[in-house]
Amino acid sequence: MSKIHNFSAGPSILAPVAFEKSIEAIRNFAGTGLSILEISHRTKEFEYVMEETRQLVKSLLSVPDDYDILFLQGGASTQFFQVPHNFLRTSAAYLKTGVWAAGAIKEAKLYGEVNVIASSEADNYSYIPKDYTIPTTSDYFHCTSNNTIYGTQMQHFPDSPVPMFCDMSSDIFSRPVNTASFDLIYAGAQKNMGPAGVTLVIVKKSLYERRPEGRAIPSMLDYKLHGEKESMYNTPPVFPILVSKFNLEWVKENGGCEGMQVRNEAKAGLLYDAIDKSPYFRGTVNKEDRSRMNVCFVFNEPTPDLEQKFNAACKEAGISGIKGHRSVGGYRASLYNALPLESVQALVNVMETFA
Ligand SMILES: *Cc1c(COP(=O)(O)O)cnc(C)c1O
């Protein structure tokens, strides 16, 4: 089989070493003679995995001691309502930068007033709004660091006067962030951390004092309880956590988030340069807001014939997963951590040969 260049937007590419270690753990987990798929999460072997994964997250993102690091289920989409369930008392400020941000807004409205303080919806989310103020009366400010579908990314975060929450599903561990400036970060694993099935939540413990009076919190939605139980209140997603651990070990061995940033900027730079130089293609978003994770581009003058030829050339070169999201059209190449530069070069070669 020839090499496949995997540009999938999610679930997406992971470090090859994570697959090898995972296969071994399915056969014989940590020398127990049993599979990771058939062993109790209360064993010391699995408890060790949980602790190690937590420590990896802590060190890679420099998470301060007064934060809980949780491994939950339900995807980022569950965080869209778990966040306001725990912390929306009267009103919260949201930045509307894409379909996922809109999803978070929709769910928060179930709990209180949602103040959309800026939106790029009228321009098909092709930029990140920068001119806005966060009302000091907000319970929190919510933003999305990387807009997976549109290919925009926040290169700066505001100095928020209220607790700052961020959906980092599609760029967590891709660059260093100042974790201490956020009060809550969440990410579905399947874009840049591990396989689908686990959701990472990093939450500042002092927030627990700000929970809405008189609102009951079911145990499974209670961050504080998950924190106290070290993500073992119920059966955690053992296998996705283990695979994430293997993938994050690879991140750490390759320079951590700083190393990933260098790698990702090189890949994104190569591809955006090719797009900007090409007489056939153009990028779809504001240049300064371009994502290093999801690169969206379209034909200047698309015709079914051109598209068909380009798609065939990509297929021939082993390029997989670059079809754009239906709301943008064209192409989207996702360049998550594990994607090698060589794969981007393969795509650029096709674009150049095609021209
Ligand atoms: C994929 C994605 C989601 C949805 O994640 P699920 O885990 O499928 O619920 C939310 N936010 C962002 C930024 C995403 O990229």
Side-chain angles (χ1 to χ4, degrees):
M1 200 179 77
S2 68
K3 180 165 170 56
I4 296 197
H5 301 288
N6 182 7
F7 291 92
S8 170
S12 39
I13 189 165
L14 296 173
V17 62
F19 295 111
E20 286 154 33
K21 290 184 181 173
S22 299
I23 291 165
E24 176 56 23
I26 287 178
R27 294 207 175 98
N28 178 3
F29 168 55
T32 56
L34 295 168
S35 169
I36 178 68
L37 303 179
E38 61 177 358
I39 189 171
S40 167
H41 58 292
R42 306 281 176 198
T43 52
K44 69 173 188 326
E45 287 82 4
F46 185 74
E47 279 182 353
Y48 176 76
V49 168
M50 195 66 140
E51 185 52 31
E52 283 286 292
T53 315
R54 203 162 24 232
Q55 290 309 323
L56 273 166
V57 172
K58 191 170 158 91
S59 75
L60 286 169
L61 295 176
S62 307
V63 182
D65 288 338
D66 56 337
Y67 284 63
D68 275 328
I69 296 172
L70 309 175
F71 301 98
L72 307 179
Q73 301 193 52
S77 301
T78 292
Q79 294 310 304
F80 293 170
F81 66 87
Q82 189 168 358
V83 162
H85 192 100
N86 279 264
F87 303 120
L88 179 48
R89 293 184 291 198
T90 353
S91 138
Y94 276 71
L95 201 55
K96 195 174 183 188
T97 52
V99 160
W100 298 120
I105 289 166
K106 174 171 175 270
E107 303 289 271
K109 283 183 178 165
L110 299 171
Y111 294 93
E113 189 195 320
V114 175
N115 190 356
V116 177
I117 54 171
S119 168
S120 48
E121 186 178 10
D123 292 298
N124 203 29
Y125 298 118
S126 57
Y127 69 98
I128 302 280
K130 289 166 202 86
D131 199 13
Y132 54 85
T133 29
I134 302 168
T136 54
T137 50
S138 315
D139 293 321
Y140 59 84
F141 164 67
H142 179 283
C143 57
T144 310
S145 55
N146 183 69
N147 299 285
T148 327
I149 292 174
Y150 299 90
T152 60
Q153 186 174 29
M154 295 177 77
Q155 307 303 346
H156 306 281
F157 293 94
D159 203 357
S160 175
V162 297
M164 181 156 66
F165 295 0
C166 189
D167 175 359
M168 292 195 188
S169 293
S170 54
D171 67 355
I172 194 152
F173 303 113
S174 73
R175 58 178 177 179
V177 288
N178 179 10
T179 304
S181 69
F182 298 89
D183 296 78
L184 187 147
I185 292 170
Y186 62 88
Q190 70 275 17
K191 310 278 169 45
N192 208 24
M193 172 173 145
V198 61
T199 311
L200 173 67
V201 179
I202 301 169
V203 51
K204 192 171 189 172
K205 293 183 203 182
S206 59
L207 272 185
Y208 301 148
E209 288 149 27
R210 305 171 63 106
R211 301 198 301 179
E213 255 173 67
R215 181 183 297 149
I217 302 181
S219 303
M220 283 300 286
L221 291 191
D222 187 351
Y223 296 116
K224 184 165 184 256
L225 180 65
H226 285 296
E228 283 161 7
K229 302 286 182 188
E230 303 188 317
S231 303
M232 292 275 210
Y233 169 71
N234 73 324
T235 315
V238 288
F239 191 57
I241 292 171
L242 180 66
V243 184
S244 299
K245 172 180 175 280
F246 293 147
N247 197 53
L248 293 178
E249 283 167 350
W250 174 86
V251 170
K252 188 164 188 178
E253 281 157 19
N254 286 276
C257 293
E258 288 79 7
M260 292 300 118
Q261 181 174 41
V262 171
R263 210 179 136 86
N264 293 329
E265 283 183 356
K267 289 183 288 181
L270 180 62
L271 186 49
Y272 283 121
D273 272 354
I275 292 167
D276 291 342
K277 281 193 197 127
S278 167
Y280 280 92
F281 298 103
R282 63 178 169 81
T284 55
V285 303
N286 200 16
K287 280 193 183 174
E288 66 178 16
D289 301 323
R290 282 175 162 180
S291 168
R292 273 92 196 223
M293 293 278 93
N294 313 97
V295 176
C296 295
F297 57 100
V298 293
F299 274 108
N300 280 322
E301 288 159 41
T303 67
D305 181 49
L306 270 181
E307 283 176 359
Q308 214 178 357
K309 280 186 182 139
F310 184 65
N311 295 350
C314 285
K315 197 168 174 206
E316 173 73 27
I319 287 160
S320 162
I322 61 161
K323 190 175 163 23
H325 190 271
R326 59 189 179 280
S327 50
V328 180
Y331 301 93
R332 169 175 55 170
S334 297
L335 316 180
Y336 298 119
N337 285 348
L339 186 88
L341 185 67
E342 164 204 351
S343 290
V344 181
Q345 191 60 61
L347 174 58
V348 167
N349 289 348
V350 173
M351 292 169 79
E352 285 172 354
T353 319
F354 186 75

